[in-house]
Amino acid sequence: MTNSEILILVIYIASGMLAGIVLHKLIMPLIAKLAAKTSLKSDDLIIKTIRTWVIPWSLALGLFLGLKQVEMESRFYTWIENGLVIFYIFSATLIISRIVSGMIRIKSADSETVIPSSSIISNIVSVIIFCIGLLVILQSQGISVTPVLTALGVGGLAVALALQGTLSNLFAGLQIISSGNFNRGDFVKLSSGEDGFIEDITWRSTTIRAASDHIIIVP
C-alpha cells in the first residue's frame, strides 16, 4: 500500500465519519423534533433506534469505499464486500428487533388489559426476527438455507415431542395474555370449586389469591 493510497483511505474514512456525525448531530435531531410533535410514539422509537447506527453505517461505508481505491487481490475485495453486507444485515436485524419489541411494550403500556408479563411475546418475536436475519445472512453468502431449515424442522419436532407439557403451557399462556379476557384483579372460579382474584398471569401459569389469602397456582 503506497502513501497516496493510505491518504485516500484516510480521507474516505474521515469523510464517512464526518457524514455520520452530521447526520447524527444535526439531521436526526431535526427529524426527531418533527416526530415529537405527532401523537404517535412509534415514530420516536424508530428514529431513536436508527440514530444510534448512523455513525457506524457511515464509517463502514467510508472504509469500504476507501479500501476499493487500494490495490488488492480480488479475493480481498470479496471478503470486504461480504463483511459489509453481513454488518448491514445484522444491524438492520437488530434495529427491526428493537423497534418491534419497543412497539409491543408501548402497546402494553397504553393498554389496560395487557399483562406486564407479556414481555415474553416480544422476546419470542425478537428470536424469530434474529433467526430470519441469520437466514438472510447465510443466503447472502451463497449458503443454501434449505438444509438449515430441514435440520431446524427435525430438531423442532424432536423438542416439541420432548416438551409437550411445557409447550402446551407456553401457548396457553400466550393465548390468555394476548386475548386480554382475563386480567389481574379479576375474580374467577375454577371448575374444581376454588375461587379468588387473579394475582398474575405469566406464560406458564396463573396465580390466584383465594379468600383465605392462600395462593393457587394454575398451569
Side-chain angles (χ1 to χ4, degrees):
M1 186 181 295
T2 63
N3 292 334
S4 60
E5 290 177 338
I6 295 176
L7 179 60
I8 292 174
L9 178 60
V10 171
I11 291 175
Y12 271 94
I13 294 175
S15 300
M17 176 66 76
L18 181 60
I21 292 175
V22 170
L23 288 172
H24 185 270
K25 298 292 185 181
L26 298 178
I27 306 299
M28 296 303 293
L30 292 177
I31 299 176
K33 288 181 180 179
L34 294 176
K37 296 179 180 179
T38 64
S39 58
L40 298 175
K41 296 180 181 179
S42 56
D43 52 359
D44 300 326
L45 172 66
I46 294 172
I47 294 171
K48 181 180 179 180
T49 306
I50 294 177
R51 185 182 178 186
T52 59
W53 285 94
V54 167
I55 293 180
W57 281 347
S58 300
L59 183 59
L61 182 60
L63 178 61
F64 170 73
L65 295 177
L67 290 174
K68 293 285 286 185
Q69 311 304 317
V70 178
E71 290 292 335
M72 291 187 297
E73 296 182 21
S74 59
R75 60 191 179 102
F76 292 122
Y77 288 122
T78 303
W79 292 350
I80 294 170
E81 290 177 356
N82 290 339
L84 187 69
V85 169
I86 292 174
F87 170 72
Y88 278 121
I89 294 176
F90 173 77
S91 59
T93 302
L94 191 61
I95 287 174
I96 294 173
S97 173
R98 289 181 176 177
I99 289 175
V100 173
S101 298
M103 287 182 175
I104 293 175
R105 288 193 296 270
I106 290 173
K107 184 170 180 60
S108 299
D110 292 341
S111 175
E112 297 179 354
T113 61
V114 176
I115 303 298
S117 59
S118 61
S119 60
I120 183 67
I121 298 177
S122 64
N123 293 335
I124 292 176
V125 171
S126 297
V127 171
I128 293 175
I129 292 174
F130 275 108
C131 288
I132 295 175
L134 177 60
L135 293 177
V136 172
I137 290 175
L138 293 177
Q139 190 70 36
S140 69
Q141 301 305 305
I143 301 174
S144 177
V145 299
T146 302
V148 177
L149 294 175
T150 303
L152 289 175
V154 175
L157 179 60
V159 171
L161 291 174
L163 301 175
Q164 291 185 41
T166 302
L167 292 177
S168 176
N169 286 333
L170 169 62
F171 289 110
L174 292 177
Q175 181 187 11
I176 292 174
I177 291 171
S178 59
S179 66
N181 292 329
F182 299 95
N183 299 281
R184 284 189 301 182
D186 289 352
F187 181 82
V188 294
K189 184 173 183 178
L190 305 179
S191 58
S192 59
E194 299 167 304
D195 55 27
F197 293 92
I198 296 177
E199 284 278 308
D200 192 19
I201 300 177
T202 67
W203 61 271
R204 191 172 182 272
S205 63
T206 299
T207 303
I208 300 173
R209 183 175 296 276
S212 56
D213 206 31
H214 66 273
I215 300 297
I216 304 171
I217 298 178
V218 184

